[in-house]
Amino acid sequence: MKTKHRQAIEQECTRLINHYANLNDQGRWEEVTALYAEDGLMTRPSTPDQPIVGREALLAAFLARPPRISTHICANIVVTVESETEASAYSVILLFSGKPADDGGLPIRDEAPPLIGDFRDRFVLTEEGWRFSERRGGLNFRAG
């Protein structure tokens, strides 16, 4: 595979990871689930042994989540291109979450220390473009 093509795939998959975090923090669940293949699988870092499979089930799981304000910071993203239609990635995630200040504005009140975890992703090229076929999360540290 030519270097430019490999780099384009790496860039698309890296963008997918970052876009996922932004949409997640904005609570745009339909758009988050559209980043998965139709039969995509996710495990949350807090429940790595409970896979959620398929866009419908993923959307239901996101909608059932209690409301919160969050900021995900993605780092150390390394994408490995496996073929023209498949890739994988490893990334580290730092999660801050909380509630708005009493007046409803900023700064956000932290309810718990930040969480540090990782995602091991698998991607597949679909008619819609690159999508997550798997997002497997895990927790590594709880600060504080």
Side-chain angles (χ1 to χ4, degrees):
M1 178 179 315
K2 292 185 180 182
T3 300
K4 280 189 174 187
H5 187 63
R6 182 183 49 77
Q7 289 173 333
I9 294 171
E10 290 171 353
Q11 183 178 13
E12 282 297 314
C13 293
T14 298
R15 182 185 182 286
L16 201 58
I17 291 168
N18 288 314
H19 192 48
Y20 183 99
N22 292 337
L23 293 172
N24 189 329
D25 291 338
Q26 295 166 15
R28 294 164 57 184
W29 307 127
E30 291 85 4
E31 292 170 79
V32 169
T33 56
L35 299 178
Y36 284 89
E38 285 291 337
D39 60 349
L41 176 148
M42 176 189 73
T43 63
R44 289 185 169 133
S46 57
T47 55
D49 297 327
Q50 298 175 18
I52 304 164
V53 180
R55 284 184 181 169
E56 260 186 57
L58 288 162
L59 181 57
F62 281 119
L63 291 172
R65 177 189 287 178
R68 69 174 183 191
I69 295 174
S70 65
T71 297
H72 290 80
I73 299 172
C74 307
N76 301 353
I77 300 170
V78 177
V79 175
T80 302
V81 177
E82 297 169 3
S83 73
E84 299 278 335
T85 60
E86 294 182 329
S88 61
Y90 174 83
S91 59
V92 174
I93 305 296
L94 176 60
L95 171 62
F96 296 90
S97 63
K99 292 186 176 182
D102 291 335
D103 64 4
L106 295 173
I108 305 303
R109 248 188 5 240
D110 287 341
E111 296 182 327
L115 298 175
I116 301 169
D118 60 37
F119 276 101
R120 296 174 192 279
D121 297 316
R122 298 208 47 82
F123 306 96
V124 63
L125 182 59
T126 70
E127 290 181 8
E128 298 169 293
W130 286 94
R131 295 291 182 262
F132 291 102
S133 59
E134 287 187 12
R135 279 217 99 189
R136 292 187 180 269
L139 287 178
N140 302 326
F141 297 95
R142 180 181 289 272

